[in-house]
Amino acid sequence: MKDHAKLAHENFKRGYNCAQAVAIAFADELGVDEERAARLASSFGGGMGKMREVCGAVSGALLVYGAVHGNSDPDDADAKKAHYARVQEFAARFKAEHETIICRELLKNIALKKENTSEPEARTDEYYRVRPCVRFVESAARILEEMLAE
């Protein structure tokens, strides 16, 4: 069995954004290759295009969850309700560990460089030393793995 949290960690360390790191770890479950998973999740890094909104690790995990267990019939209100309940369950589990799903709140103690700039930060040793993001991608991947197994 894959250790998705470890894969997500490795993906983040390879330079993928938080959403991509999680999505790529579950590329098989998505039914796509690594490149397609990276493209699908690319917009969600940095809390939606580096706007520091919903954590990219959460968004990447929910992208995968929707692909695997999402609803597709716009007239099936029960399926939509059940899916939204599972999304909320994921968020509750993530919040239980990290208090929030909002990127800027997760990074509250980090001096953010021009928060709403589109320029990515260099992935230096210092970046990895101060950023808690690896914990978030690991956590999101683990919670997703648990929920997919339920």
Side-chain angles (χ1 to χ4, degrees), residues 79-91:
K80 188 182 288 189
K81 178 181 175 182
H83 181 67
Y84 287 168
R86 295 297 285 168
V87 168
Q88 292 173 14
E89 174 66 20
F90 179 93

Side-chain angles (χ1 to χ4, degrees), residues 100-132:
T100 183
I101 63 169
I102 303 301
C103 176
R104 71 178 154 274
E105 294 172 5
L106 290 164
L107 299 179
K108 63 184 171 249
N109 295 325
I110 304 295
L112 298 174
K113 296 179 183 175
K114 295 183 182 176
E115 189 169 316
N116 285 323
T117 181
S118 61
E119 187 162 340
E121 294 178 56
R123 296 291 184 93
T124 63
D125 289 340
E126 177 65 14
Y127 175 94
Y128 290 116
R129 191 170 26 261
V130 300
R131 284 286 173 141

Side-chain angles (χ1 to χ4, degrees), residues 35-89:
E35 180 183 356
R36 175 62 64 194
R39 287 179 183 272
L40 286 168
S42 62
S43 300
F44 304 111
M48 307 283 179
K50 221 174 158 220
M51 293 186 293
R52 306 297 182 215
E53 298 297 337
V54 174
C55 171
V58 170
S59 296
L62 293 176
L63 174 86
V64 173
Y65 191 81
V68 175
H69 290 299
N71 66 298
S72 60
D73 181 351
D75 297 322
D76 189 345
D78 289 336
K80 188 182 288 189
K81 178 181 175 182
H83 181 67
Y84 287 168
R86 295 297 285 168
V87 168
Q88 292 173 14
E89 174 66 20

Side-chain angles (χ1 to χ4, degrees), residues 1-2 11 14 17 39 64 70 75-76 94 96 101 104 107-108 112 115 133-135 141-142 148:
M1 183 174 180
K2 284 185 177 180
N11 292 334
R14 287 171 53 203
N17 73 37
R39 287 179 183 272
V64 173
D75 297 322
D76 189 345
F94 191 89
I101 63 169
R104 71 178 154 274
L107 299 179
K108 63 184 171 249
L112 298 174
E115 189 169 316
C133 301
V134 165
R135 281 194 341 240
R142 182 183 38 73
L148 291 174

